[in-house]
Amino acid sequence: MKEARSIFNNLGYEVVDDGDEFRAKRKWREVRVTACADSTTAPKRGELRCFVAWEENAARLSQQLRESNPEYEWAVIAVREGGDYEVARVPPSKIAV
């Protein structure tokens, strides 16, 4: 999903391809980003992770992540047609500043 790369580029992150995912780097922070066209199986391990999904799939993905309770900090970005987006879910106890 090219929108995922565009979002992080516009936020000032350096985007580095990493197979099916990419890494978004800025200052001390490195976020592993997974673009989810339909659904995805969330990895069990990691540190900072962001999942980018179409708006109609974002709520289901957020619910899946809450239920699996991974041991990393995560967020879901919901992308609308036209490129607008919003952060759909960030666990309150796991916000990466």
Side-chain angles (χ1 to χ4, degrees), residues 24-81:
K25 299 164 77 172
R26 184 174 72 183
K27 298 181 184 176
W28 59 269
R29 182 180 328 174
E30 182 173 310
V31 180
R32 183 162 299 277
V33 181
T34 303
C36 310
D38 292 323
S39 64
T40 189
T41 302
K44 295 293 182 191
R45 294 190 173 86
E47 289 187 33
L48 300 174
R49 298 197 64 92
C50 184
F51 300 89
V52 181
W54 293 114
E55 184 176 38
E56 60 270 14
N57 299 327
R60 184 175 61 240
L61 178 57
S62 292
Q63 182 63 35
Q64 176 188 359
L65 285 162
R66 280 193 301 274
E67 289 172 0
S68 69
N69 195 24
E71 53 187 55
Y72 48 81
E73 296 180 40
W74 60 269
V76 174
I77 296 177
V79 179
R80 296 183 197 100
E81 285 294 324

